[in-house]
Amino acid sequence: MLTGCCEWPKEFAERYREKGCWRGETFGEMLRERAEKHGDRIALTSGDTYVSYAVLDNKVDRLAAGLRSLGIKQEDRVVLQLPNVVEFFEVCFALFRIGALPVFALPSHRSSEISYFCEFAEATAYIISDKQLGFDYRKLARKVKEKVPTLQHVIVVGEEEEFIGIHDLYMNPVNQPQIQSNDVAFLQLSGGTTGLSKLIPRTHDDYIYSLRTSAEICKLDKDSVYLAVLPVAHNYPLSSPGVLGTLYAGGRIVLASGGSPDEAFSLIEKERVTITALVPPLAMVWLDAVASRNNDLSSLQVLQVGGAKFSAEVAKRIRPTFNCTLQQVFGMAEGLVNYTRLDDSEEIIIHTQGRPMSEFDEIRVVDEKDHDVGPGQVGGLLTRGPYTIRGYYKAEEHNAKSFTSDGFYRTGDLVKVNEQGYLIVEGRDKDQINRGGEKVAAEEVENHLLAHSAVHDVAIVSMPDDYLGERTCAFVIARGQAPTVSDLKRFLRNRGIAAYKIPDRIEFIKSFPQTGVGKVSKKELRKVIAEKLNSTVQS
Ligand code: OOB
């Protein structure tokens, strides 16, 4: 296994194999088999482009040859930052076939995040699109190359300028190395709690198990049509069951550039979409948009909502509005994914975040001392299982805190379990803000702000928000003359961080409230801002 990754202990690995979870499949073989079985069927649709399984398989082989010709080889890390385009799949599977590991960056990441991924993962290549939504990724690549001189190749989908154009990399197929199913297939990103995102190594065995099980739970088959509106690099639309689960089932993926009802509703109508995945704020936008549109959405069978807590009040409106089944999804890139089942009662579907997808998922709900809480009580969620990692990539010290000595991952989520074994998310005890599904690690943004000469200290907390669920508020203690809010926001943008991490609100404060042991009390700060918001709403 790749150095810096933690394997499952032997007895667990043996059990997961024996029980048929890990079946020795790799992603490269999976696509080949689907191409042999479903050759002429359409795997991917993007705009007017329709790509069959056979064509996808062949393009992947040719691109794999091209990537090899650049010297990209087994175990090389490649930072992949592509939006929802056909090439995302070609690159991904080409890397899988040569045994190189994609590092799944999001389109919203900027130079600070990308440089860190490239440096930390010691990436040999960085793959981007030319321009997207008015942003030029080649400019970003120039900055990253300057900061990370070891980065050897920048490959561009579109106009390549001084870089390598992907169109030059489709070559005659060559023999590829034998890939082991227990090898790491790629690195996902964690939402991050302490400082920067951690990298999550997922193996072919464990990930294919998770998407196969997800596809079964969602009853996907070759007639399923999955609409991808969220960025496909994220674990949720990638594998729950997402685009990879759809390919596993031999179904068809329809790519959308974003979640606007204009685009998504026309695609649902035109392509007869059967299932799609949303985060709660998007679900609210869709609910409100239906009345003013007259698209035929009758093909839609399942609407998944996850990534952040979906309020029961809004959840109730899904079935009457879309005439389809709501499925709540509570998952994490580290592994564990919970689903409400399609035939569950409305009560369960509306009021819970589902139950673990696998009978081999182990969950514990514990107090601060790691003792199990009583039935129905709220506690911290710990989990281990056949698709939950045993450690982050190259993060020994952090792993000692994020995992128990017997290998349970500390999710940082506060949950309770009902009598039927369904989880209800009640909050979190990790230093992270969940901005409608986008995760912000408080410490990462605090560190950026601390680099400003007029910032003496800073604490970032969540504040309630009707639309996103939560937004970020930074409490700043100024040094000398206080900077302005726009100064600080500009400062952050110039440091090259993703826009969703820029605090929604900045409050200046003289000193921080403290806990009994003299730490900053974020709980008190959350109260301060919530009360302030409340009083402005009322006045
Ligand atoms: C998904 O993955 P990540 O890694 O971006 O974020 C994981 C965290 C969870 O630990 C939890 O705090 C929160 O996101 N979360 C939810 C939730 N789904 C995720 N909190 C409340 N209710 C939910 N339904 O977000 C992710 C990965 C795979 C599938 C679905 C979501």
Side-chain angles (χ1 to χ4, degrees):
M1 196 182 242
L2 181 70
T3 323
C5 300
C6 306
E7 283 183 71
W8 279 263
K10 205 162 155 264
E11 65 275 22
F12 283 86
E14 272 168 12
R15 176 152 177 263
Y16 297 149
R17 269 189 210 103
E18 231 169 65
K19 296 286 181 189
C21 306
W22 299 352
R23 296 188 184 163
E25 291 174 282
T26 65
F27 279 106
E29 292 160 358
M30 169 189 135
L31 179 63
R32 180 84 79 233
E33 277 170 25
R34 299 304 173 278
E36 280 161 7
K37 201 164 154 200
H38 306 287
D40 292 337
R41 292 183 67 97
I42 300 299
L44 279 168
T45 303
S46 174
D48 295 331
T49 310
Y50 290 77
V51 185
S52 70
Y53 276 91
V55 168
L56 178 62
D57 184 52
N58 178 262
K59 286 188 92 177
V60 165
D61 272 345
R62 287 166 45 216
L63 184 56
L67 293 170
R68 280 278 293 278
S69 78
L70 294 176
I72 297 174
K73 56 182 191 312
Q74 212 164 345
E75 291 202 346
D76 276 4
R77 273 79 62 199
V78 175
V79 173
L80 179 58
Q81 188 182 31
L82 287 178
N84 293 358
V85 291
V86 169
E87 288 84 355
F88 175 93
F89 297 86
E90 296 174 1
V91 171
C92 222
F93 279 94
L95 292 171
F96 291 153
R97 281 206 175 138
I98 61 184
L101 282 60
V103 180
F104 287 121
L106 296 173
S108 51
H109 286 139
R110 294 295 176 258
S111 62
S112 162
E113 289 98 2
I114 301 290
S115 307
Y116 159 68
F117 301 146
C118 288
E119 255 167 9
F120 187 78
E122 299 166 83
T124 55
Y126 171 38
I127 305 185
I128 52 174
S129 62
D130 49 1
K131 262 187 168 179
Q132 205 70 37
L133 303 172
F135 181 77
D136 192 333
Y137 286 89
R138 294 158 302 191
K139 266 193 182 163
L140 170 54
R142 275 173 214 123
K143 268 198 194 161
V144 173
K145 272 217 88 170
E146 230 169 71
K147 275 202 202 161
V148 193
T150 48
L151 187 68
Q152 291 168 36
H153 316 285
V154 173
I155 301 168
V156 183
V157 174
E159 297 278 323
E160 70 266 32
E161 296 188 337
E162 75 270 38
F163 302 118
I164 302 163
I166 196 169
H167 49 82
D168 286 332
L169 294 178
Y170 296 90
M171 297 180 178
N172 284 334
V174 293
N175 284 339
Q176 297 299 348
Q178 187 64 38
I179 306 301
Q180 303 299 321
S181 65
N182 59 352
D183 279 345
V184 174
F186 56 83
L187 296 165
Q188 263 288 4
L189 307 180
S190 78
T193 48
T194 55
L196 299 160
S197 286
K198 300 288 174 290
L199 301 188
I200 298 172
R202 302 289 302 255
T203 65
H204 295 264
D205 269 333
D206 93 72
Y207 213 63
I208 291 180
Y209 171 60
S210 88
L211 55 95
R212 184 175 74 234
T213 309
S214 299
E216 279 164 18
I217 287 173
C218 296
K219 302 196 172 26
L220 295 193
D221 61 23
K222 63 181 188 4
D223 297 319
S224 301
V225 183
Y226 178 92
L227 176 67
V229 298
L230 301 173
V232 289
H234 187 272
N235 196 61
Y236 171 30
L238 189 65
S239 69
S240 306
V243 290
L244 294 179
T246 303
L247 293 180
Y248 191 91
R252 181 156 68 92
I253 298 163
V254 177
L255 296 172
S257 62
S260 84
D262 279 340
E263 183 186 2
F265 288 7
S266 352
L267 283 172
I268 295 174
E269 177 168 5
K270 176 164 172 247
E271 304 294 346
R272 305 297 295 159
V273 168
T274 60
I275 176 168
T276 188
L278 302 179
V279 286
L282 257 186
M284 288 198 262
V285 171
W286 282 30
L287 279 166
D288 291 344
V290 171
S292 56
R293 309 281 196 296
N294 50 12
N295 300 92
D296 173 7
L297 306 179
S298 60
S299 57
L300 202 58
Q301 295 164 9
V302 179
L303 189 69
Q304 297 183 296
V305 181
K309 178 87 182 245
F310 196 32
S311 89
E313 276 314 304
V314 187
K316 266 184 202 150
R317 295 170 54 202
I318 296 286
R319 185 182 286 285
T321 310
F322 290 99
N323 195 21
C324 72
T325 304
L326 163 66
Q327 180 178 52
Q328 293 216 36
V329 189
F330 163 39
M332 51 210 74
E334 286 80 359
L336 180 72
V337 183
N338 304 277
Y339 295 103
T340 55
R341 305 306 199 253
L342 303 188
D343 54 1
D344 278 337
S345 66
E346 278 302 281
E347 176 67 22
I348 291 277
I349 290 178
I350 288 167
H351 294 282
T352 80
Q353 279 63 62
R355 63 181 162 87
M357 70 160 112
S358 162
E359 62 180 293
F360 304 103
D361 282 320
E362 299 173 67
I363 60 170
R364 288 181 60 201
V365 182
V366 300
D367 63 16
E368 285 96 27
K369 292 192 173 126
D370 278 357
H371 296 142
D372 293 304
V373 299
Q377 300 295 305
V378 177
L381 174 66
L382 310 182
T383 185
R384 78 183 173 188
Y387 61 98
T388 295
I389 55 162
R390 292 300 185 117
Y392 293 105
Y393 177 56
K394 292 200 296 193
E396 223 173 292
E397 217 174 287
H398 185 74
N399 286 342
K401 292 184 218 137
S402 297
F403 295 83
T404 63
S405 54
D406 55 354
F408 278 83
Y409 167 56
R410 297 182 190 279
T411 66
D413 293 310
L414 298 175
V415 304
K416 63 183 186 195
V417 181
N418 77 5
E419 278 164 12
Q420 294 112 309
Y422 283 74
L423 274 52
I424 296 147
V425 181
E426 295 284 346
R428 95 181 64 92
D429 64 0
K430 52 187 169 189
D431 201 9
Q432 185 184 77
I433 294 99
N434 191 338
R435 229 174 144 271
E438 289 185 308
K439 316 302 182 317
V440 181
E443 195 184 311
E444 178 184 354
V445 185
E446 287 163 1
N447 285 337
H448 280 292
L449 278 169
L450 283 170
H452 192 289
S453 58
V455 173
H456 171 70
D457 207 353
V458 55
I460 294 182
V461 297
S462 64
M463 54 185 188
D465 182 77
D466 286 345
Y467 174 55
L468 291 182
E470 295 170 17
R471 285 186 196 261
T472 49
C473 175
F475 282 94
V476 171
I477 302 178
R479 171 180 289 135
Q481 174 78 27
T484 64
V485 166
S486 51
D487 269 349
L488 291 180
K489 290 195 177 178
R490 191 169 338 108
F491 176 77
L492 287 176
R493 266 193 298 275
N494 288 340
R495 285 181 69 87
I497 66 171
Y500 69 86
K501 295 182 185 170
I502 310 263
D504 294 289
R505 184 170 177 133
I506 298 178
E507 291 279 316
F508 293 96
I509 196 169
K510 289 252 157 2
S511 63
F512 293 136
Q514 297 197 335
T515 64
V517 289
K519 288 205 297 189
V520 177
S521 171
K522 290 206 164 178
K523 193 170 160 197
E524 254 337 284
L525 286 175
R526 280 194 291 270
K527 245 198 209 155
V528 169
I529 189 63
E531 274 164 18
K532 194 160 180 180
L533 290 174
N534 229 347
S535 64
T536 37
V537 170
Q538 279 163 3
S539 60

